Amino acid sequence: ETAPNYPTVSVLPVEGAPGDGRKSLQLAVLQSLSLNGVPRDDISPEVIIKCEIISKPFSKRLQHVQILWRIQLADGPELGTAQLDNTIPIGALDGEWGATAFTIADAGAADILNLLASAARLSEASNP
């Protein structure tokens, strides 16, 4: 089986991210996708990936964090979402994310890649 012919993507800065997550998670996702053969195009991408982080208190020491990626075609329709939920110590993401950004990006990559593969199939079907 040949590898999917992924569409070109642009990953936007992460909304709602504490610490340096706005940029570090964006760059980690770009790297993870690139390592899987996804071409980057910030000028005229076929697909745009938006990410949002929502954090809520869970207990005195813990917070619940939801990371939601929205994968949408550049011309509008959303292809789907990839989501990670975790409970972490309060403030754990407030500084530099470092390796944590890559851990999160890799955890979300499989779902994102599946959605990108479906986008590639959609575009092949509409452009035989």
Side-chain angles (χ1 to χ4, degrees):
E1 181 180 324
T2 59
N5 184 19
Y6 292 116
T8 58
V9 301
S10 179
V11 178
L12 301 182
V14 179
E15 295 298 319
D20 73 357
R22 183 173 163 80
K23 286 305 259 183
S24 64
L25 183 55
Q26 175 195 25
L27 295 173
V29 168
L30 279 166
Q31 179 175 324
S32 183
L33 295 178
S34 175
L35 291 171
N36 282 283
V38 177
R40 177 181 182 181
D41 182 345
D42 291 324
I43 307 300
S44 57
E46 295 167 277
V47 172
I48 296 169
I49 299 176
K50 298 176 180 173
C51 183
E52 178 183 11
I53 295 182
I54 301 155
S55 179
K56 297 185 178 97
F58 182 77
S59 70
K60 285 184 180 174
R61 293 192 180 89
L62 299 173
Q63 64 188 16
H64 179 262
V65 176
Q66 180 184 72
I67 301 171
L68 182 67
W69 286 277
R70 295 184 187 284
I71 292 80
Q72 70 182 77
L73 294 173
D75 55 15
E78 188 173 288
L79 296 168
T81 59
Q83 180 176 320
L84 293 175
D85 289 276
N86 209 339
T87 303
I88 62 170
I90 288 176
L93 297 176
D94 288 354
E96 290 184 17
W97 285 33
T100 301
F102 293 97
T103 303
I104 293 169
D106 289 344
D111 288 340
I112 295 171
L113 290 167
N114 284 337
L115 289 163
L116 293 175
S118 70
R121 287 192 296 275
L122 280 176
S123 97
E124 286 162 13
S126 62
N127 301 313

